[in-house]
């Protein structure tokens, strides 16, 4: 149980990756300022978290079963919402990559069920008590793909756009209740989830897609993604450090890009009224610069002005 003065932090999706990193970092805080309630769908997958938490497990970290896609699971959680100071929504465990004409509607619905409705389901559970107490902080792990679309990530990106829109509206409403909403927006993060996803899609046939689209997907998109993850990929610990900084901020910012190299890429979207500049830039990066992607990434690093870098929260 939390001791007097500790902030109670509820975190979803803690079996691996970003959720695990955030849970461990907060639970092992040197000043013991946090009591972490880490949740996951299947407690059989708890070993990595328990090992990483070390002696914090059972002291400043506890585990509960939670499926964010199930109303019954949320009700069985039997939380005491009045004690939750910070709620970290980490429901990014479902991705969908490939030509949209070859993807099933059921798979698309599952992405939204987890990434969007899972967040809605949990926010509805904890938000009313935060409003009553006029105190609280909702932190949502979103994605750069919630700010700009990427080819062959259409559905995943749409689920993140929906989450960003939801939270922007909530942030406006909740300020009057002294409840803050923050978005954490990583670019590529090297996790088991991403590695498995890319391995699976590289073998998939994508029945229903035409030959030209499949050529672009296999020979342009996939190699470009590999280069991006190798050149720009962060670790779950990087994202956890940014999240901890946002939680500890006296006036938490709403949007928080974790990788300063993505700031100029996102800024392209607002550089002209038609928003065409970013579309054409990403088109050329994908279809015309695939063979020299490493060079283009180095140029992005070099050309990123200092004032743009300072607008992101560095994990260092």
């Amino acid at each position: 149980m939390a001791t007097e003065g500790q902030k109670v932090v509820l975190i979803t999706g803690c079996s691996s990756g970003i959720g695990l990193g955030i849970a461990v970092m907060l639970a092992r805080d040197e000043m013991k300022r946090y009591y972490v309630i880490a949740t996951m769908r299947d407690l059989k997958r708890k070993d990595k978290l328990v090992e990483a938490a070390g002696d914090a497990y059972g002291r400043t970290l506890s585990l509960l079963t939670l499926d964010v896609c199930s109303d019954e699971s949320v009700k069985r959680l039997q939380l005491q919402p009045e004690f939750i100071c910070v709620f970290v929504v980490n429901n990014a465990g479902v991705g969908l990559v490939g030509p949209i004409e070859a993807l099933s509607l059921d798979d698309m619905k599952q992405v939204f069920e987890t990434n969007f409705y899972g967040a809605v389901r949990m926010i509805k559970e904890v938000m009313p008590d935060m409003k009553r107490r006029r105190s609280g902080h909702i932190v949502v792990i979103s994605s750069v793909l919630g700010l700009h679309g990427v080819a062959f990530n259409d559905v995943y990106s749409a689920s993140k756009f929906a989450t960003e829109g939801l939270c922007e509206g909530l942030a406006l409403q909740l300020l009057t209740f002294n409840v803050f909403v923050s978005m954490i927006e990583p670019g590529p993060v090297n996790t088991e989830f991403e590695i498995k996803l890319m391995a699976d899609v590289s073998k998939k046939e994508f029945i229903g897609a035409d030959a030209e689209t499949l050529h672009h997907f296999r020979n342009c998109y996939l190699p470009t993604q590999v280069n991006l993850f190798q050149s720009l990929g962060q670790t779950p610990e990087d994202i956890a450090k940014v999240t901890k900084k946002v939680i500890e901020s006296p006036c938490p910012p709403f949007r928080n890009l974790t990788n300063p190299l993505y700031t100029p890429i996102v800024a392209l979207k607002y550089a002209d009224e038609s928003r065409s500049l970013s579309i054409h830039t990403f088109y050329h990066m994908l279809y015309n610069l695939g063979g020299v992607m490493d060079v283009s990434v180095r140029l992005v690093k070099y050309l990123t002005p200092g004032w743009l870098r300072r607008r992101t929260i560095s994990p260092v």
Side-chain angles (χ1 to χ4, degrees):
M1 293 293 293
T3 59
E4 186 176 352
Q6 280 185 322
K7 283 187 175 182
V8 178
V9 183
L10 173 66
I11 309 175
T12 61
C14 294
S15 61
S16 63
I18 294 173
L20 185 152
I22 296 171
V24 170
M25 187 166 290
L26 294 178
R28 295 181 65 87
D29 177 64
E30 291 183 358
M31 299 172 64
K32 294 182 170 54
R33 290 171 292 179
Y34 307 102
Y35 182 84
V36 177
I37 302 171
T39 71
M40 59 185 70
R41 280 192 294 262
D42 185 359
L43 288 185
K44 293 177 182 177
R45 301 182 61 195
K46 70 180 182 180
D47 291 350
K48 285 186 178 180
L49 176 59
V50 172
E51 181 181 356
D55 59 7
Y57 179 60
R59 296 181 179 179
T60 54
L61 185 144
S62 61
L63 282 173
L64 292 175
T65 304
L66 173 66
D67 180 358
V68 298
C69 296
S70 166
D71 290 333
E72 292 181 1
S73 178
V74 173
K75 290 176 184 176
R76 285 199 304 268
L77 194 59
Q78 294 183 332
L79 288 171
Q80 293 178 293
E82 65 271 18
F83 295 119
I84 296 172
C85 305
V86 180
F87 174 41
V88 180
V89 186
N90 176 52
N91 298 343
V94 176
L96 192 61
V97 176
I100 195 168
E101 61 268 41
L103 305 176
S104 74
L105 283 175
D106 286 341
D107 286 342
M108 296 181 197
K109 290 176 182 177
Q110 184 58 45
V111 171
F112 270 83
E113 183 59 43
T114 301
N115 295 351
F116 178 71
Y117 290 110
V120 172
R121 189 173 284 110
M122 289 304 301
I123 289 171
K124 286 182 64 178
E125 185 71 14
V126 302
M127 184 179 66
D129 281 286
M130 287 184 173
K131 290 170 70 175
R132 275 192 285 273
R133 286 184 284 118
R134 292 187 174 269
S135 176
H137 191 183
I138 298 170
V139 181
V140 180
I141 309 301
S142 181
S143 170
V144 166
L145 295 190
L147 300 175
H148 69 78
V150 172
F152 301 113
N153 279 270
D154 325 87
V155 178
Y156 179 82
S157 184
S159 73
K160 292 301 183 179
F161 264 81
T163 303
E164 292 268 344
L166 168 79
C167 291
E168 189 165 342
L170 287 175
L172 293 171
Q173 298 174 46
L174 293 177
L175 273 180
T176 191
F177 296 96
N178 196 41
V179 175
F180 293 94
V181 178
S182 295
M183 310 299 291
I184 309 296
E185 295 155 333
V189 182
N190 292 305
T191 64
E192 292 178 6
F193 163 70
E194 295 290 352
I195 293 170
K196 184 178 184 302
L197 178 64
M198 296 308 292
D200 290 344
V201 300
S202 65
K203 301 172 186 175
K204 197 170 180 180
E205 293 185 13
F206 293 105
I207 298 170
D210 60 271
E212 185 177 357
T213 299
L214 280 175
H215 170 79
H216 292 154
F217 177 70
R218 299 191 190 285
N219 297 293
C220 297
Y221 168 79
L222 288 179
T224 298
Q225 285 297 102
V226 171
N227 282 326
L228 279 174
F229 272 84
Q230 289 176 347
S231 302
L232 300 181
Q234 294 181 291
T235 67
E237 290 72 27
D238 290 331
I239 313 307
K241 288 177 183 177
V242 171
T243 305
K244 189 169 184 284
K245 283 186 178 182
V246 171
I247 290 172
E248 293 172 354
S249 171
C251 187
F254 176 63
R255 283 201 167 92
N256 303 275
L257 287 171
T258 68
N259 192 329
L261 297 176
Y262 264 83
T263 307
I265 295 175
V266 174
L268 279 176
K269 188 170 184 177
Y270 303 97
D272 70 315
E273 292 182 0
S274 70
R275 306 294 189 259
S276 297
L277 180 59
S278 63
I279 298 295
H280 291 295
T281 300
F282 290 128
Y283 170 80
H284 288 298
M285 287 179 68
L286 180 60
Y287 292 104
N288 297 332
L289 296 177
V292 290
M293 192 64 193
D294 286 337
V295 175
S296 64
V297 168
R298 291 193 193 102
L299 283 173
V300 169
K301 290 182 180 180
Y302 178 76
L303 294 173
T304 303
W307 69 271
L308 280 177
R309 289 175 181 267
R310 288 193 295 272
R311 293 189 65 180
T312 64
I313 294 185
S314 170
V316 179

